Amino acid sequence: MTLVGTLGFCAGLLTSGAAVPQVYKTYKTRHARDISMWQLVMLSLGMLLWLIYGSMIGDLPLILANTFSIACYASLIAMKLRYDREDRTS
């Protein structure tokens, strides 16, 4: 692997991995009231555009990192919707 490819994979690991602690904490606490839905949606849409771009140019680090990140943020959106609804009914 080239230096550029290694750099891309390392950047993808760090930026994608940054979502994991928030997903874990939200799942464990069952609370998402302090998380902004707009931030989650805008970030997910931006990552979707990066994924499309990465697919168009055939850049594997971009494709893998953004696919993983979209999955993480989609789960956060789902938890936010669910837990916010549960907070309102209790």
Side-chain angles (χ1 to χ4, degrees), residues 4-18 61 65 69:
V4 172
T6 302
L7 184 65
F9 276 111
C10 289
L13 275 172
L14 288 172
T15 57
S16 298
S69 294

Side-chain angles (χ1 to χ4, degrees), residues 31-66:
H31 291 286
R33 62 181 160 256
D34 294 331
I35 299 173
S36 168
M37 179 62 85
W38 284 110
Q39 189 264 348
L40 295 174
V41 169
M42 291 173 64
L43 190 56
S44 296
L45 289 173
M47 283 184 246
L48 179 62
L49 293 175
W50 277 115
L51 176 60
I52 293 167
Y53 173 74
S55 297
M56 292 173 79
I57 65 170
D59 189 311
L60 190 59
L62 272 178
I63 294 166
L64 294 177
N66 286 292

